[in-house]
Amino acid sequence: ELVVYMECYGGAVTSMLGLYDVIKGIEIPTTCLCSGMVASAATVLLQAFTTRLALPHTSIHLHEAGIMPSGSDREMLTVLEETFLEIKRLNTLIVEVIGDRIGKHLPEILAKMRGGREVNMSAQDALKYGLIDEIVTSYKIKSEEKLD
């Protein structure tokens, strides 16, 4: 069993999707134990684990993807169009990842995140919504191997 402790404020969606693919490809059970705050891209990454646990005072946050455009004024319209398409693509991926894991449909998840607003959930709310599997007060790592 692979156990990961997570307290993360998020990060780049593209990096998170790369880690998501790696964790999903691991052929042994994976467990994520959340503490403090798990936000944004980290909330999506959490869905890759076989078992998703949270301590009682964990807060979990979710919102639509966002990208800051860059470039000169002359290029701004093209950059904004490309940025819009990339945000739309990333939001679709985020919704698919979460929807596949928690069994909710695209419209329900989009409605929750609509308008770029942050969705803040307590551990209890995240459990009800399906973002985690269980709230725990302690966790003991099972060891089948003895170290010399």
Side-chain angles (χ1 to χ4, degrees), residues 105-125:
H105 299 290
L106 181 77
E108 187 177 347
I109 297 168
L110 281 174
K112 194 91 165 147
M113 299 186 323
R114 190 57 71 202
R117 70 177 189 267
E118 183 89 10
V119 179
N120 305 309
M121 296 183 206
S122 66
Q124 293 79 13
D125 292 337

Side-chain angles (χ1 to χ4, degrees), residues 54-58 60 121-130 132 135:
L55 295 173
H57 296 104
T58 303
I60 297 178
M121 296 183 206
S122 66
Q124 293 79 13
D125 292 337
L127 180 63
K128 288 178 194 167
Y129 196 70
I132 60 172
I135 299 170

